[in-house]
Amino acid sequence: GAVVSQHPSRVICKSGTSVKIECRSLDFQATTMFWYRQFPKQSLMLMATSNEGSKATYEQGVEKDKFLINHASLTLSTLTVTSAHPEDSSFYICSALGDKGSGWDTEAFFGQGTRLTVV
Amino acid sequence: QKEVEQNSGPLSVPEGAIASLNCTYSDRGSQSFFWYRQYSGKSPELIMFIYSNGDKEDGRFTAQLNKASQYVSLLIRDSQPSDSATYLCAVNKGRDSGGSNYKLTFGKGTLLTVNP
């Protein structure tokens, strides 16, 4: 079964509104979570890395005020796309990684992904 | 030079044949290498990872790593139509989550089609 659950799997929102995506680790404590974005026929691009209890580290070119990441607990990280626009329409995927020595630290487990469509 | 390069394909093989997928990377400090399979509209799923030079086999899949050539490949034996998907190569600077070294860089993927 899935060890990382991402919700919702699909969302349509109006331009200008905000959308929150949740990523939960089910079987382990995820000290690090990663958020990716994937446009059609493109590869996964890392948006940000979040560690529990601290601010997320954003990749170059990713607007931190637009893509708000909260990693408030060891099992939950959220990505909020604020003031969404049609160009934000994409497939958003999270992955989770356990602490060193936990047995969940060599492979980051992916969520099912969220298809965001902004109309 | 892109960090992780793959032939975008499409690669088309007949059912039962061997499919060979290739990947090169630019960072010599990379230590762990992953192959993912991604079906259309779905999230990537891990096939296998490899750390050491040489071959690593898991069922019908064999990963090959040559750090001197900065090259990693995936062989799929007895290809099945269900193997038709995009195969993503990913490279990591570290081997685990220690030292904040964990950061996967993905290639664009190779689309594989296995024809019945």
Side-chain angles (χ1 to χ4, degrees), chain A residues 23-82:
Chain A
C23 182
R24 293 182 183 272
S25 60
L26 303 179
D27 297 320
F28 65 100
Q29 294 184 326
T31 48
T32 308
M33 285 190 174
F34 306 90
W35 287 96
Y36 297 87
R37 179 169 53 185
Q38 186 179 33
F39 292 107
K41 299 191 185 301
Q42 299 294 314
S43 190
L44 277 74
M45 297 300 296
L46 181 65
M47 299 175 67
T49 302
S50 72
N51 291 291
E52 185 265 339
S54 61
K55 290 184 178 181
T57 302
Y58 288 81
E59 295 298 303
Q60 192 173 7
V62 178
E63 300 174 59
K64 62 180 180 181
D65 294 331
K66 181 170 181 62
F67 299 99
L68 301 179
I69 292 172
N70 188 329
H71 192 163
S73 80
L74 285 171
T75 59
L76 175 64
S77 177
T78 61
L79 167 67
T80 301
V81 183
T82 63

Side-chain angles (χ1 to χ4, degrees), chain B residues 13-31:
Chain B
V13 300
E15 184 174 356
I18 295 175
S20 178
L21 303 158
N22 305 314
C23 173
T24 58
Y25 59 96
S26 61
D27 187 346
R28 281 196 173 275
S30 302
Q31 295 192 42

